[in-house]
Amino acid sequence: MAPNITKKIKEIALRVTPQRHAILKFLEGNVTHPSAENIHHKLLKKMPNISFTTVYNTLSKLVEAGKIQEVYIDPNKKRFDPRIDPHHHFYCKVCGKVFDVGYDAPFSVIINPLNTKKLDGHQVDEIQIYIKGLCKDCRSKR
Amino acid sequence: MAPNITKKIKEIALRVTPQRHAILKFLEGNVTHPSAENIHHKLLKKMPNISFTTVYNTLSKLVEAGKIQEVYIDPNKKRFDPRIDPHHHFYCKVCGKVFDVGYDAPFSVIINPLNTKKLDGHQVDEIQIYIKGLCKDCRSKR
DNA sequence: TTTTATTTTGTAATAATTACAAATATGGCA
DNA sequence: TGCCATATTTGTAATTATTACAAAATAAAA
Ligand SMILES: [Mn+2]
Ligand SMILES: [Mn+2]
Ligand SMILES: [Zn+2]
Ligand SMILES: [Zn+2]
């Protein structure tokens, strides 16, 4: 078991189980923004008994602890992202793929950092920019 | 029946039915971003037989025709918005209310209009900024 | 090794949305 | 105005994602 992943699990005061380890390892460096079902399906190959429920439970614990994030850009299901630094997302309406987009460049989205904590009297916790359209790959298939 | 609403239905080549009229009338000027269930529940008072399916069908036809928009900021369900001009949304994680936010002010979100059609080779159709946190009302109850 | 609390599993329940077909209503036309 | 073809509504059933639950298994502390 990779020690960095084991460490990450211990950091959030959870028991280190093969299932949790496998889920975190699968997500590490994964840029596809997989759904819970994607993750479960892939893990079944190496771990034929891992249950859907465990995948869901683990993912929500990881989200709660801030180790991964949920991305709500796909209208049909939650997608999960190991990247927790500020960035945004592009969703292809045809193939459903989700791509990362840098915070500013190359899209020139500028959020004034001075004002990001207050908005019409509301307390702002998160800002997500969701961009939808037709991805590069799907575009070239036309 | 209000003639402006009737006109809007005809514009999208649909038959004018009392159900469609009631749905559009309910949405007109509504700033609460109701869900399909909210809409159905309210309409039942005046129209005791209107079905869930009709509400869903009508809403998706209106979305398809660009007369209203779907807002995906609520992780549990679709919310509907009669405003189709560019603006963004704040979602209260406690009470679930959704508020409109102006495109630039007062939040100082600046999207460079020159670059909004291309992004890493992807074709951009929509940009939505979703802001989440604790709303004014919920904040004052703490 | 023993013990206990946590975790996993399998299954069932819930919630939102979509599919379908029979009954009904709309709008064009005689 | 009345008839008719087609679109729409309804009620119900199916689907999909997610959550709830309790018994069996396991991790980690003693
Ligand atoms: Mn991402
Ligand atoms: Mn709005
Ligand atoms: Zn695509
Ligand atoms: Zn609130």
Side-chain angles (χ1 to χ4, degrees):
Chain A
M1 302 230 242
N4 59 322
I5 293 178
T6 300
K7 192 180 151 215
K8 205 175 259 187
I9 299 173
K10 282 186 176 160
E11 270 170 26
I12 50 182
L14 294 180
R15 291 188 177 176
V16 178
T17 67
Q19 291 87 345
R20 284 172 178 166
H21 198 276
I23 291 167
L24 262 180
K25 185 166 173 221
F26 176 76
L27 283 175
E28 199 179 40
N30 187 313
V31 299
T32 67
H33 307 84
S35 67
E37 204 222 356
N38 292 156
I39 297 168
H40 182 239
H41 189 79
K42 276 290 174 62
L43 294 182
L44 275 180
K45 289 172 185 169
K46 297 269 179 185
M47 192 176 273
N49 290 317
I50 189 171
S51 74
F52 237 142
T53 307
T54 296
V55 173
Y56 269 106
N57 286 344
T58 300
L59 289 170
S60 60
K61 290 216 163 125
L62 291 171
V63 169
E64 205 178 341
K67 295 296 178 186
I68 64 174
Q69 70 164 319
E70 276 168 7
V71 175
Y72 289 104
I73 198 173
D74 180 336
N76 301 309
K77 44 184 152 318
K78 292 182 187 172
R79 308 277 293 248
F80 296 88
D81 191 346
R83 276 190 64 180
I84 52 176
D85 64 305
H87 70 287
H88 302 291
H89 295 96
F90 178 92
Y91 173 77
C92 176
K93 289 180 188 176
V94 172
C95 68
K97 283 204 280 280
V98 174
F99 299 88
D100 285 332
V101 175
Y103 199 83
D104 320 292
F107 200 62
S108 305
V109 173
I110 301 160
I111 296 178
N112 180 344
L114 292 174
N115 292 348
T116 54
K117 293 298 166 200
K118 267 280 190 57
L119 174 66
D120 296 347
H122 310 314
Q123 172 194 316
V124 173
D125 294 333
E126 310 168 29
I127 302 171
Q128 301 246 346
I129 299 181
Y130 291 148
I131 305 154
K132 300 191 180 187
L134 193 64
C135 83
K136 205 176 196 168
D137 298 348
C138 289
R139 213 153 60 91
S140 68
K141 283 177 197 148
R142 296 285 165 108
Chain B
M1 303 229 239
N4 59 321
I5 293 178
T6 300
K7 192 180 150 214
K8 206 175 259 188
I9 299 173
K10 284 187 174 160
E11 269 169 26
I12 49 183
L14 294 179
R15 289 187 179 175
V16 178
T17 68
Q19 292 87 346
R20 286 174 177 165
H21 199 276
I23 291 167
L24 262 180
K25 185 168 174 218
F26 176 76
L27 283 175
E28 198 179 42
N30 186 313
V31 299
T32 68
H33 306 85
S35 65
E37 203 222 356
N38 292 156
I39 297 169
H40 182 239
H41 188 79
K42 276 289 174 63
L43 294 182
L44 275 179
K45 289 171 185 169
K46 296 269 177 181
M47 192 175 276
N49 290 317
I50 190 169
S51 74
F52 237 142
T53 307
T54 294
V55 173
Y56 270 105
N57 286 344
T58 300
L59 289 170
S60 58
K61 291 219 164 122
L62 292 171
V63 169
E64 206 178 338
K67 295 295 176 187
I68 65 173
Q69 69 165 318
E70 276 168 7
V71 175
Y72 289 104
I73 197 172
D74 181 335
N76 300 310
K77 44 184 153 317
K78 292 182 188 171
R79 309 277 293 249
F80 296 88
D81 190 346
R83 276 190 64 182
I84 53 175
D85 64 305
H87 69 286
H88 303 290
H89 295 96
F90 178 92
Y91 173 78
C92 176
K93 289 180 188 176
V94 171
C95 67
K97 283 203 280 280
V98 174
F99 299 88
D100 284 333
V101 175
Y103 200 83
D104 321 290
F107 199 62
S108 304
V109 172
I110 300 160
I111 296 177
N112 180 344
L114 291 176
N115 293 347
T116 53
K117 293 298 168 200
K118 267 282 190 57
L119 175 66
D120 296 349
H122 310 314
Q123 172 193 315
V124 172
D125 293 333
E126 310 169 29
I127 302 171
Q128 301 246 346
I129 300 181
Y130 290 149
I131 306 154
K132 300 191 181 189
L134 193 63
C135 83
K136 206 175 194 168
D137 297 347
C138 289
R139 213 153 61 90
S140 69
K141 284 177 196 149
R142 296 282 164 109

